[in-house]
PDB file of all heavy atoms in Angstrom:
ATOM      1  N   PHE U 318      19.835  31.228 -14.486  1.00  0.00           N
ATOM      2  CA  PHE U 318      19.720  32.497 -13.754  1.00  0.00           C
ATOM      3  C   PHE U 318      18.280  33.003 -13.809  1.00  0.00           C
ATOM      4  O   PHE U 318      17.741  33.474 -12.817  1.00  0.00           O
ATOM      5  CB  PHE U 318      20.674  33.513 -14.376  1.00  0.00           C
ATOM      6  CG  PHE U 318      21.303  34.442 -13.381  1.00  0.00           C
ATOM      7  CD1 PHE U 318      22.177  33.952 -12.420  1.00  0.00           C
ATOM      8  CD2 PHE U 318      21.032  35.807 -13.414  1.00  0.00           C
ATOM      9  CE1 PHE U 318      22.776  34.813 -11.504  1.00  0.00           C
ATOM     10  CE2 PHE U 318      21.626  36.667 -12.500  1.00  0.00           C
ATOM     11  CZ  PHE U 318      22.498  36.170 -11.542  1.00  0.00           C
ATOM     12  N   PRO U 322      15.783  32.831  -9.208  1.00  0.00           N
ATOM     13  CA  PRO U 322      16.078  34.190  -8.711  1.00  0.00           C
ATOM     14  C   PRO U 322      17.129  34.182  -7.598  1.00  0.00           C
ATOM     15  O   PRO U 322      17.934  35.117  -7.485  1.00  0.00           O
ATOM     16  CB  PRO U 322      14.729  34.675  -8.163  1.00  0.00           C
ATOM     17  CG  PRO U 322      13.690  33.749  -8.702  1.00  0.00           C
ATOM     18  CD  PRO U 322      14.362  32.487  -9.118  1.00  0.00           C
ATOM     19  N   ALA U 324      19.729  32.623  -7.500  1.00  0.00           N
ATOM     20  CA  ALA U 324      21.088  32.510  -8.050  1.00  0.00           C
ATOM     21  C   ALA U 324      21.815  33.857  -8.034  1.00  0.00           C
ATOM     22  O   ALA U 324      23.044  33.910  -8.019  1.00  0.00           O
ATOM     23  CB  ALA U 324      21.031  31.964  -9.478  1.00  0.00           C
ATOM     24  N   ASP U 325      21.041  34.943  -8.015  1.00  0.00           N
ATOM     25  CA  ASP U 325      21.644  36.280  -7.885  1.00  0.00           C
ATOM     26  C   ASP U 325      21.882  36.533  -6.399  1.00  0.00           C
ATOM     27  O   ASP U 325      21.112  37.201  -5.715  1.00  0.00           O
ATOM     28  CB  ASP U 325      20.697  37.329  -8.495  1.00  0.00           C
ATOM     29  CG  ASP U 325      21.283  38.737  -8.424  1.00  0.00           C
ATOM     30  OD1 ASP U 325      22.501  38.855  -8.130  1.00  0.00           O
ATOM     31  OD2 ASP U 325      20.526  39.693  -8.648  1.00  0.00           O
ATOM     32  N   LYS U 326      22.984  35.990  -5.923  1.00  0.00           N
ATOM     33  CA  LYS U 326      23.205  35.916  -4.472  1.00  0.00           C
ATOM     34  C   LYS U 326      23.274  37.277  -3.798  1.00  0.00           C
ATOM     35  O   LYS U 326      22.829  37.437  -2.670  1.00  0.00           O
ATOM     36  CB  LYS U 326      24.484  35.126  -4.198  1.00  0.00           C
ATOM     37  CG  LYS U 326      24.298  33.656  -4.564  1.00  0.00           C
ATOM     38  CD  LYS U 326      25.565  32.850  -4.400  1.00  0.00           C
ATOM     39  CE  LYS U 326      25.261  31.389  -4.694  1.00  0.00           C
ATOM     40  NZ  LYS U 326      26.442  30.639  -5.064  1.00  0.00           N
ATOM     41  N   ASN U 327      23.857  38.256  -4.483  1.00  0.00           N
ATOM     42  CA  ASN U 327      23.968  39.577  -3.851  1.00  0.00           C
ATOM     43  C   ASN U 327      22.853  40.521  -4.315  1.00  0.00           C
ATOM     44  O   ASN U 327      22.914  41.718  -4.068  1.00  0.00           O
ATOM     45  CB  ASN U 327      25.347  40.190  -4.109  1.00  0.00           C
ATOM     46  CG  ASN U 327      25.587  40.418  -5.592  1.00  0.00           C
ATOM     47  OD1 ASN U 327      24.776  40.012  -6.436  1.00  0.00           O
ATOM     48  ND2 ASN U 327      26.692  41.064  -5.917  1.00  0.00           N
ATOM     49  N   HIS U 328      21.870  39.989  -5.018  1.00  0.00           N
ATOM     50  CA  HIS U 328      20.673  40.743  -5.430  1.00  0.00           C
ATOM     51  C   HIS U 328      21.005  42.054  -6.135  1.00  0.00           C
ATOM     52  O   HIS U 328      20.334  43.058  -5.907  1.00  0.00           O
ATOM     53  CB  HIS U 328      19.765  41.038  -4.213  1.00  0.00           C
ATOM     54  CG  HIS U 328      19.534  39.842  -3.344  1.00  0.00           C
ATOM     55  ND1 HIS U 328      18.744  38.772  -3.737  1.00  0.00           N
ATOM     56  CD2 HIS U 328      20.021  39.519  -2.111  1.00  0.00           C
ATOM     57  CE1 HIS U 328      18.756  37.848  -2.780  1.00  0.00           C
ATOM     58  NE2 HIS U 328      19.537  38.276  -1.795  1.00  0.00           N
ATOM     59  N   ASP U 329      21.998  42.018  -6.990  1.00  0.00           N
ATOM     60  CA  ASP U 329      22.312  43.274  -7.714  1.00  0.00           C
ATOM     61  C   ASP U 329      21.863  43.201  -9.169  1.00  0.00           C
ATOM     62  O   ASP U 329      22.156  44.100  -9.964  1.00  0.00           O
ATOM     63  CB  ASP U 329      23.812  43.597  -7.618  1.00  0.00           C
ATOM     64  CG  ASP U 329      24.669  42.585  -8.372  1.00  0.00           C
ATOM     65  OD1 ASP U 329      24.146  41.518  -8.787  1.00  0.00           O
ATOM     66  OD2 ASP U 329      25.876  42.848  -8.542  1.00  0.00           O
ATOM     67  N   GLY U 330      21.182  42.115  -9.533  1.00  0.00           N
ATOM     68  CA  GLY U 330      20.697  41.972 -10.907  1.00  0.00           C
ATOM     69  C   GLY U 330      21.808  41.627 -11.902  1.00  0.00           C
ATOM     70  O   GLY U 330      21.548  41.471 -13.094  1.00  0.00           O
ATOM     71  N   LYS U 331      23.029  41.510 -11.429  1.00  0.00           N
ATOM     72  CA  LYS U 331      24.160  41.174 -12.303  1.00  0.00           C
ATOM     73  C   LYS U 331      24.654  39.761 -12.000  1.00  0.00           C
ATOM     74  O   LYS U 331      24.311  39.207 -10.958  1.00  0.00           O
ATOM     75  CB  LYS U 331      25.310  42.162 -12.079  1.00  0.00           C
ATOM     76  CG  LYS U 331      24.908  43.609 -12.320  1.00  0.00           C
ATOM     77  CD  LYS U 331      26.047  44.538 -11.962  1.00  0.00           C
ATOM     78  CE  LYS U 331      25.559  45.979 -12.031  1.00  0.00           C
ATOM     79  NZ  LYS U 331      26.570  46.923 -11.570  1.00  0.00           N
ATOM     80  N   LEU U 332      25.452  39.245 -12.910  1.00  0.00           N
ATOM     81  CA  LEU U 332      25.927  37.877 -12.717  1.00  0.00           C
ATOM     82  C   LEU U 332      27.444  37.868 -12.500  1.00  0.00           C
ATOM     83  O   LEU U 332      28.215  38.131 -13.430  1.00  0.00           O
ATOM     84  CB  LEU U 332      25.549  37.042 -13.947  1.00  0.00           C
ATOM     85  CG  LEU U 332      25.721  35.537 -13.817  1.00  0.00           C
ATOM     86  CD1 LEU U 332      24.669  34.836 -14.644  1.00  0.00           C
ATOM     87  CD2 LEU U 332      27.099  35.094 -14.257  1.00  0.00           C
ATOM     88  N   GLN U 333      27.840  37.583 -11.271  1.00  0.00           N
ATOM     89  CA  GLN U 333      29.269  37.550 -10.929  1.00  0.00           C
ATOM     90  C   GLN U 333      29.801  36.140 -11.228  1.00  0.00           C
ATOM     91  O   GLN U 333      29.365  35.170 -10.610  1.00  0.00           O
ATOM     92  CB  GLN U 333      29.465  37.892  -9.438  1.00  0.00           C
ATOM     93  CG  GLN U 333      29.447  39.383  -9.113  1.00  0.00           C
ATOM     94  CD  GLN U 333      28.061  40.029  -9.112  1.00  0.00           C
ATOM     95  OE1 GLN U 333      27.036  39.363  -9.084  1.00  0.00           O
ATOM     96  NE2 GLN U 333      28.025  41.359  -9.161  1.00  0.00           N
ATOM     97  N   PHE U 334      30.734  36.058 -12.188  1.00  0.00           N
ATOM     98  CA  PHE U 334      31.208  34.723 -12.590  1.00  0.00           C
ATOM     99  C   PHE U 334      32.729  34.650 -12.589  1.00  0.00           C
ATOM    100  O   PHE U 334      33.410  35.677 -12.612  1.00  0.00           O
ATOM    101  CB  PHE U 334      30.680  34.375 -13.990  1.00  0.00           C
ATOM    102  CG  PHE U 334      31.297  35.214 -15.094  1.00  0.00           C
ATOM    103  CD1 PHE U 334      32.390  34.743 -15.813  1.00  0.00           C
ATOM    104  CD2 PHE U 334      30.814  36.478 -15.388  1.00  0.00           C
ATOM    105  CE1 PHE U 334      32.978  35.517 -16.813  1.00  0.00           C
ATOM    106  CE2 PHE U 334      31.395  37.263 -16.386  1.00  0.00           C
ATOM    107  CZ  PHE U 334      32.471  36.775 -17.100  1.00  0.00           C
ATOM    108  N   ILE U 362      21.434  40.393 -18.906  1.00  0.00           N
ATOM    109  CA  ILE U 362      21.977  40.184 -17.566  1.00  0.00           C
ATOM    110  C   ILE U 362      23.415  40.701 -17.656  1.00  0.00           C
ATOM    111  O   ILE U 362      24.157  40.274 -18.542  1.00  0.00           O
ATOM    112  CB  ILE U 362      21.993  38.686 -17.190  1.00  0.00           C
ATOM    113  CG1 ILE U 362      20.570  38.111 -17.242  1.00  0.00           C
ATOM    114  CG2 ILE U 362      22.622  38.486 -15.828  1.00  0.00           C
ATOM    115  CD1 ILE U 362      20.523  36.596 -17.114  1.00  0.00           C
ATOM    116  N   GLU U 363      23.758  41.615 -16.780  1.00  0.00           N
ATOM    117  CA  GLU U 363      25.116  42.152 -16.897  1.00  0.00           C
ATOM    118  C   GLU U 363      26.133  41.174 -16.318  1.00  0.00           C
ATOM    119  O   GLU U 363      26.089  40.857 -15.134  1.00  0.00           O
ATOM    120  CB  GLU U 363      25.214  43.503 -16.170  1.00  0.00           C
ATOM    121  CG  GLU U 363      26.528  44.202 -16.469  1.00  0.00           C
ATOM    122  CD  GLU U 363      26.669  45.531 -15.731  1.00  0.00           C
ATOM    123  OE1 GLU U 363      25.650  46.248 -15.607  1.00  0.00           O
ATOM    124  OE2 GLU U 363      27.779  45.813 -15.260  1.00  0.00           O
ATOM    125  N   VAL U 365      29.599  40.073 -14.792  1.00  0.00           N
ATOM    126  CA  VAL U 365      30.727  40.692 -14.085  1.00  0.00           C
ATOM    127  C   VAL U 365      31.783  39.614 -13.860  1.00  0.00           C
ATOM    128  O   VAL U 365      31.555  38.666 -13.107  1.00  0.00           O
ATOM    129  CB  VAL U 365      30.284  41.284 -12.721  1.00  0.00           C
ATOM    130  CG1 VAL U 365      31.473  41.927 -12.007  1.00  0.00           C
ATOM    131  CG2 VAL U 365      29.149  42.290 -12.903  1.00  0.00           C
ATOM    132  N   ASN U 394      30.416  34.606  -2.950  1.00  0.00           N
ATOM    133  CA  ASN U 394      30.342  35.743  -3.885  1.00  0.00           C
ATOM    134  C   ASN U 394      30.375  35.313  -5.349  1.00  0.00           C
ATOM    135  O   ASN U 394      30.294  36.161  -6.243  1.00  0.00           O
ATOM    136  CB  ASN U 394      31.501  36.712  -3.617  1.00  0.00           C
ATOM    137  CG  ASN U 394      31.417  37.292  -2.216  1.00  0.00           C
ATOM    138  OD1 ASN U 394      30.337  37.690  -1.776  1.00  0.00           O
ATOM    139  ND2 ASN U 394      32.533  37.314  -1.503  1.00  0.00           N
ATOM    140  N   ILE U 395      30.527  34.035  -5.595  1.00  0.00           N
ATOM    141  CA  ILE U 395      30.616  33.545  -6.980  1.00  0.00           C
ATOM    142  C   ILE U 395      29.245  33.009  -7.394  1.00  0.00           C
ATOM    143  O   ILE U 395      28.684  32.151  -6.714  1.00  0.00           O
ATOM    144  CB  ILE U 395      31.694  32.439  -7.104  1.00  0.00           C
ATOM    145  CG1 ILE U 395      33.061  32.982  -6.653  1.00  0.00           C
ATOM    146  CG2 ILE U 395      31.762  31.920  -8.545  1.00  0.00           C
ATOM    147  CD1 ILE U 395      34.151  31.918  -6.555  1.00  0.00           C
ATOM    148  N   GLU U 396      28.714  33.518  -8.487  1.00  0.00           N
ATOM    149  CA  GLU U 396      27.364  33.123  -8.903  1.00  0.00           C
ATOM    150  C   GLU U 396      27.367  32.130 -10.071  1.00  0.00           C
ATOM    151  O   GLU U 396      26.322  31.559 -10.387  1.00  0.00           O
ATOM    152  CB  GLU U 396      26.543  34.366  -9.249  1.00  0.00           C
ATOM    153  CG  GLU U 396      26.338  35.263  -8.017  1.00  0.00           C
ATOM    154  CD  GLU U 396      25.595  36.542  -8.293  1.00  0.00           C
ATOM    155  OE1 GLU U 396      25.470  36.953  -9.468  1.00  0.00           O
ATOM    156  OE2 GLU U 396      25.143  37.165  -7.316  1.00  0.00           O
TER     157      GLU U 396
HETATM  158 CA1  LIG R  61      24.704  39.165  -8.660  1.00  0.00          CA
END
Side-chain angles (χ1 to χ4, degrees):
F318 216 66
D325 182 13
K326 291 176 176 158
N327 62 354
H328 313 289
D329 67 349
K331 302 175 188 174
L332 191 148
Q333 279 76 15
F334 69 95
I362 301 170
E363 190 181 322
V365 180
N394 298 316
I395 302 172
E396 296 177 344

